[in-house]
Amino acid sequence: MRVEAEIRDLVEALTPVDELAARHRAECLAWLAGTDDIFRREKPRTPSPHLVAYFLLHDAADGSVLLVDHRKAGLWLPSGGHVEPGEHPAETVRREVVEELGVPAVFSPRFGERPAFLTVTDTVGAPEERHTDVSLWFVLSGSRDQKLIPDPGEFRGVRWWTPQEVAADPSRCEPHLGRMLARLAA
């Protein structure tokens, strides 16, 4: 099976948690049916939209998640990256967690190597760099006390956030993060 068909199957299997999630899922499925190129070919935005794999390191002990202060986006985001041509998004997660945080991927038993969430988001930044990311969100098991080696070229910092901290200041974070945290808590 071609990786594009596997990605479509992952998206079809997602159960929307709210109206926006249903809309994003429908947009994504229409996009997948209407294009033959879902992978970024040229930085920063060709083609637009293109596929991204986010991952949240999640500490089940207190519900906290690790976020990165992303230099380009100017927001606290989940780690992740662009899915390379022909790459399965779970492989992207395995590659990116080592590159960005210096640890191996340990997929959450609850979701396994399947995404827990999907978003379709217009990026921020300089007009010539703006584009649409179709992001599959994966959940990795993590712990506040695990040793990380963050990539200083991409991040100003990293820190663990509780759901309450995200809710108290959502404007500093990825716009859909609160919805994803609700998904984790469900």
Side-chain angles (χ1 to χ4, degrees), residues 164-178:
Q164 296 80 12
E165 290 170 323
V166 171
D169 196 2
S171 66
R172 296 179 59 199
C173 300
E174 201 285 342
H176 301 287
L177 182 61

Side-chain angles (χ1 to χ4, degrees), residues 82-84 87 91-100:
H82 294 91
V83 180
E84 297 293 330
E87 185 176 53
E91 276 305 310
T92 305
V93 170
R94 281 188 193 85
R95 175 176 53 79
E96 290 285 347
V97 72
V98 171
E99 290 175 11
E100 295 186 348

Side-chain angles (χ1 to χ4, degrees), residues 2-4 7 31 36-43 46-47 50-53 81-89 91-92 95-96:
R2 286 183 40 207
V3 71
E4 291 86 352
I7 291 166
W31 169 64
D36 61 356
D37 197 2
I38 62 174
F39 305 107
R40 184 178 74 173
R41 304 291 177 163
E42 292 179 36
K43 291 182 179 183
T46 303
H50 54 252
L51 196 60
V52 170
H82 294 91
V83 180
E84 297 293 330
E87 185 176 53
H88 190 281
E91 276 305 310
T92 305
R95 175 176 53 79
E96 290 285 347

Side-chain angles (χ1 to χ4, degrees), residues 104-131:
V106 178
F107 287 88
S108 160
R110 179 176 170 196
F111 299 103
E113 295 186 13
R114 298 177 327 275
F117 200 62
L118 164 85
T119 56
V120 178
T121 308
D122 292 329
T123 63
V124 297
E128 67 275 4
E129 294 184 359
R130 290 185 194 146
H131 58 277

Side-chain angles (χ1 to χ4, degrees), residues 152-173:
E154 284 202 54
F155 315 132
R156 284 187 285 268
V158 300
R159 78 172 257 235
W160 290 90
W161 292 67
T162 65
Q164 296 80 12
E165 290 170 323
V166 171
D169 196 2
S171 66
R172 296 179 59 199
C173 300

Side-chain angles (χ1 to χ4, degrees), residues 15-30:
T15 302
V17 296
D18 57 25
E19 177 61 34
L20 183 55
R23 194 165 66 243
H24 282 185
R25 182 176 175 270
E27 285 177 39
C28 180
L29 290 171

